[in-house]
Amino acid sequence: MLLLVTGLIGSSLSTANTNTRAQISHLELFFSQIMSVDEFRNYKNVKELNRVSAWIKGQMQRFGIPCQFQVYVVNSLSYRNVICHLNAQAKTKMVMGTHYDVFSDRYGADNNASGVAGLLETARLLALQKSKLKHEIEFAFYTLEEPPFFKTEHMGSYIHAKSLKKKKQKLKGVVILDSIGYFDENLVQTYPVGLKWIYPDHGNFIAAIGHLTSTGMTGDYCTAMQSLNRLECQRFISPTFAQDMNFSGYLNYAKFNYSTMLITDTAHYRNPYYNTELDTLDKLDLKKMTYVIDGLVEMALQP
């Protein structure tokens, strides 16, 4: 059954689809492969992690984007990031990343199948418009971002960021997608202390979080979202807030002095199902996810 579904994904997305906006139907197909009903993609289940990473690599290659595994060993077990390169014959490079593992025995729809599906659809759209790109794009899909490896040097994002620094890679910036699918128009939004008087009470916006050197990136993304005029975008240039959002690989790049932006629905500050057994696909708003993706594509196509 898995092979049949995989074949359907390949055939439906490899046709001459010239639509340059994100599609709900594509996201649904991606979610169906990322989230297994029988297995959980956590650090204990290397077989499932390998299945998902192999599928990601294959799907990206169907978009015409070559990939390789970045393999590393933790506690005598091999884990792997998936690193893919969209070659636009440009002099500068932008990194876009997301993690595919989950916390404990969870389905992890918002955290973080949403980020993986979002990055896959972003990659598909940018591959269709490669001639317009002004930057090389490196797509990175990480493993081991969740406990017990969270905040350790075994995180996939740390491994990737360190490898970039070792190669002395100069980047335009790094964009991390982490939990991008949960929205609520009601007054459910919470914040770290001191921010609730500044930002909206409703949970119907996407957040672009950065440190001081990321001011340009967060501004560019929210400007792109504003130009599309479909979903509100809020910028957070706050060291306190950014540090408190350290559930993401965002901070690992900042450690190596890369300009980094986190795109997120703010996770547990909004989503009551975050990291619970109820973090399932039916809780997500895929239409609004397409708006988030379209904004990222719009930003990436700018000089």
Side-chain angles (χ1 to χ4, degrees):
M1 181 64 180
L2 179 60
L3 292 176
L4 176 61
V5 175
T6 302
L8 288 172
I9 289 177
S11 63
S12 68
L13 301 189
S14 61
T15 55
N17 186 348
T18 57
N19 193 324
T20 55
R21 295 301 187 195
Q23 303 295 308
I24 291 176
S25 60
H26 295 170
L27 297 180
E28 290 173 338
L29 289 171
F30 297 151
F31 275 110
S32 75
Q33 285 299 292
I34 299 162
M35 299 169 61
S36 170
V37 296
D38 301 314
E39 301 286 346
F40 300 105
R41 56 192 191 280
N42 59 44
Y43 76 98
K44 295 179 181 179
N45 197 344
V46 177
K47 182 178 179 181
E48 179 64 6
L49 289 174
N50 287 345
R51 181 195 69 80
V52 174
S53 60
W55 175 81
I56 290 170
K57 181 182 179 184
Q59 192 62 66
M60 290 289 283
Q61 290 175 333
R62 289 176 187 271
F63 301 153
I65 305 174
C67 302
Q68 61 186 18
F69 292 127
Q70 183 179 42
V71 180
Y72 61 103
V73 176
V74 179
N75 298 335
S76 301
L77 294 174
S78 291
Y79 296 93
R80 60 197 192 188
N81 295 331
V82 185
I83 311 299
C84 311
H85 300 273
L86 182 55
N87 186 353
Q89 302 296 321
K91 294 181 179 179
T92 56
K93 177 186 285 189
M94 177 183 293
V95 170
M96 297 184 181
T98 193
H99 76 90
Y100 64 88
D101 63 317
V102 295
F103 170 69
S104 189
D105 292 343
R106 305 289 188 263
Y107 294 113
D110 195 30
N111 184 28
N112 186 38
S114 68
V116 179
L119 193 57
L120 285 166
E121 184 68 346
T122 299
R124 183 187 71 84
L125 293 170
L126 290 177
L128 285 174
Q129 303 174 81
K130 184 169 71 170
S131 62
K132 298 180 182 179
L133 280 170
K134 304 299 188 293
H135 317 286
E136 303 288 309
I137 307 290
E138 181 164 310
F139 299 96
F141 299 84
Y142 319 116
T143 189
L144 300 191
E145 295 287 283
E146 298 289 350
F149 301 108
F150 170 60
K151 289 189 176 180
T152 75
E153 294 184 0
H154 297 312
M155 291 176 72
S157 56
Y158 181 88
I159 297 294
H160 183 244
K162 184 178 179 180
S163 71
L164 293 175
K165 197 67 175 180
K166 186 176 180 180
K167 296 175 186 175
K168 298 182 179 179
Q169 287 274 352
K170 294 183 178 180
L171 304 178
K172 175 178 174 60
V174 179
V175 179
I176 303 295
L177 301 183
D178 199 314
S179 303
I180 62 167
Y182 189 85
F183 301 90
D184 191 333
E185 296 180 1
N186 296 306
L187 306 183
V188 299
Q189 187 68 44
T190 63
Y191 299 97
V193 175
L195 293 182
K196 68 177 183 177
W197 308 113
I198 306 172
Y199 292 99
D201 293 331
H202 65 77
N204 194 36
F205 65 86
I206 193 69
I209 300 172
H211 44 85
L212 291 175
T213 62
S214 309
T215 302
M217 291 183 68
T218 56
D220 289 345
Y221 180 69
C222 281
T223 297
M225 290 295 294
Q226 186 176 13
S227 71
L228 296 173
N229 195 30
R230 291 183 289 174
L231 180 67
E232 184 178 341
C233 181
Q234 290 289 337
R235 297 171 65 195
F236 295 86
I237 307 298
S238 166
T240 300
F241 191 91
Q243 290 293 325
D244 205 51
M245 297 292 279
N246 62 6
F247 55 85
S248 167
Y250 161 89
L251 292 179
N252 283 323
Y253 291 93
K255 288 177 184 176
F256 291 99
N257 298 316
Y258 288 121
S259 178
T260 310
M261 172 175 63
L262 171 64
I263 297 176
T264 180
D265 59 25
T266 73
H268 57 281
Y269 288 104
R270 175 188 305 172
N271 185 349
Y273 311 111
Y274 183 82
N275 274 359
T276 74
E277 294 176 355
L278 296 179
D279 183 11
T280 50
L281 184 57
D282 60 298
K283 308 297 192 310
L284 304 189
D285 190 325
L286 301 193
K287 185 65 175 178
K288 288 176 182 175
M289 270 188 66
T290 67
Y291 302 158
V292 174
I293 296 162
D294 288 340
L296 180 55
V297 171
E298 187 80 11
M299 185 198 83
L301 291 174
Q302 299 305 309

